[in-house]
Amino acid sequence: MNATDKSGVVQISKQGPPSVLEYTNEIVGNPGNNQVLIRQKAIALNFVDVMFRNGTFPLNHFPATIGVEAAGVVEAVGTGVSEWAVGDRVGYYFALGAYAEKRLINKDQLIKLPDDISFDQAASLMAKGLTARMLVKQAYAVRPGDVVLVHAAAGGVGSLVSRWAKSLGAVVIGTVGNASKKALAESQGIDLVIALDSQDLAEQVGSITNGLGVDAVFDGVGKATFSKSAPLVKRNGHIVLYGNASGSPQIDADFLASKNITLIRPSVGEYLPDKHSLDFAVGELFEAVRTGVFGDIKPIIYSLSEVFRAHDDLEATRTTGSVILHP
């Protein structure tokens, strides 16, 4: 297939429920100045994709191709591109337009994949793994002996945060939405897993901390969890609010101030402001893969043409860990 042949792509003509996702074919074209043409091997499904699809994040034009993360092989390079060559293994973690068999992308958005990192691993880990690294090493630097509470511990980011915090010497308490996900979270080496649909969060945390509370909370859920976990944080502790999967929480600033709790609302971009910092972070992430920090990475795989079902399952919390699409 060359650049002028049609290839599979998922587009939306308007924002809305999963039914707006349409699998079709289009001509990609040849790379222009500073562009690279990639044949994608694995495409990530992230919750941010849902937010682009449902209208939480606005889009400027339609039809639009969403998705922000994938890995694949360079098929062609445009003028002004000297860093990349045909056959290079590459990935990226935030460039809108990922739901496609082939795509054009700016050369500066690409990350080189080492030969020992598979396409599935890369698509499973780049965005989520860089987020996890930011959370446990920068937003709140986890120390040996810390007691940390990780919400959605069976999810894509939560599972990586739990494993990385554990590898840094922390006692990890994880929550899951329902009891059916407890076994998976427990298999990650988490010290205590709490099913929020059937167990009392405060009682369970109190039992493992002897009522002393936790040093830090990592919360990507938001509204459904924030007010329940804030009282469980020690004086001078930290809450790292990195997502709002259940909606934006009500924040009692006076309560936080009364216990001198630091609220951190980080974004990956602020911690990776340049190529040097990105390369360093990616190097640490891939080394964590090699040394087994994340265990055996087994993403849930859907066909790109099944993206409607993948989105539906993700929103219904039927998925665990990383989810990827195969073109």
Side-chain angles (χ1 to χ4, degrees):
M1 181 183 290
N2 61 53
T4 58
D5 289 332
K6 288 186 176 182
S7 63
V9 62
V10 174
Q11 295 181 330
I12 61 174
S13 297
K14 61 181 180 180
Q15 290 175 296
S19 58
V20 301
L21 295 161
E22 180 184 2
Y23 184 80
T24 184
N25 289 279
E26 70 169 11
I27 293 174
V28 180
N30 293 304
N33 187 47
N34 292 327
Q35 283 189 321
V36 173
L37 175 68
I38 308 172
R39 175 183 291 278
Q40 306 201 123
K41 300 293 188 179
I43 302 162
L45 175 59
N46 293 302
F47 200 80
V48 70
D49 302 353
V50 172
M51 300 172 84
F52 275 114
R53 190 212 72 223
N54 68 18
T56 302
F57 294 156
L59 292 169
N60 295 324
H61 67 275
F62 296 95
T65 300
I66 60 172
V68 298
E69 178 184 20
V73 178
V74 174
E75 280 209 338
V77 299
T79 57
V81 179
S82 58
E83 307 93 320
W84 306 107
V86 173
D88 282 350
R89 303 173 75 253
V90 296
Y92 58 91
Y93 75 95
F94 202 93
L96 197 63
Y99 286 4
E101 181 182 349
K102 299 203 300 183
R103 73 164 297 181
L104 297 170
I105 190 170
N106 185 281
K107 64 174 185 175
D108 295 330
Q109 293 178 295
L110 295 175
I111 295 166
K112 182 175 179 58
L113 296 187
D115 289 340
D116 62 344
I117 300 296
S118 72
F119 296 117
D120 284 2
Q121 286 176 320
S124 300
L125 285 175
M126 282 183 297
K128 298 178 185 71
L130 289 172
T131 299
R133 178 192 171 277
M134 167 196 72
L135 295 174
V136 302
K137 291 202 164 193
Q138 294 175 297
Y140 175 77
V142 173
R143 300 159 298 187
D146 277 349
V147 181
V148 301
L149 174 61
V150 181
H151 287 301
V157 175
S159 61
L160 301 181
V161 169
S162 298
R163 286 182 179 273
W164 214 328
K166 191 67 185 168
S167 77
L168 293 170
V171 174
V172 178
I173 304 168
T175 72
V176 292
N178 57 71
S180 67
K181 296 184 178 182
K182 281 191 72 171
L184 175 64
E186 287 169 343
S187 72
Q188 297 166 177
I190 295 174
D191 296 279
L192 175 66
V193 180
I194 303 167
L196 295 178
D197 67 337
S198 57
Q199 294 179 285
D200 183 88
L201 178 64
E203 179 182 314
Q204 293 292 314
V205 170
S207 70
I208 195 172
T209 66
N210 294 317
L212 296 176
V214 301
D215 294 285
V217 175
F218 294 100
D219 190 351
V221 178
K223 185 177 181 179
T225 51
F226 188 90
S227 62
K228 296 176 182 177
S229 51
L232 307 178
V233 180
K234 293 177 181 177
R235 175 172 293 279
N236 302 317
H238 294 72
I239 299 175
V240 185
L241 181 63
Y242 66 91
N244 298 308
S246 66
S248 297
Q250 292 287 328
I251 296 173
D252 186 342
D254 291 337
F255 172 77
L256 298 183
S258 72
K259 292 181 67 176
N260 199 33
I261 294 171
T262 300
L263 174 62
I264 304 161
R265 307 185 80 161
S267 68
V268 174
E270 68 185 280
Y271 289 100
L272 301 177
D274 51 45
K275 187 71 164 56
H276 174 76
S277 59
L278 175 59
D279 287 345
F280 182 79
V282 168
E284 282 202 337
L285 173 61
F286 290 156
E287 187 59 26
V289 175
R290 295 185 186 101
T291 56
V293 168
F294 306 129
D296 190 10
I297 300 163
K298 294 182 178 179
I300 297 171
I301 300 172
Y302 296 80
S303 166
L304 180 60
S305 61
E306 295 180 303
V307 67
F308 166 92
R309 185 166 66 87
H311 269 242
D312 194 51
D313 287 348
L314 179 66
E315 285 190 276
T317 69
R318 288 189 287 267
T319 63
T320 55
S322 294
V323 181
I324 62 174
L325 309 168
H326 277 178

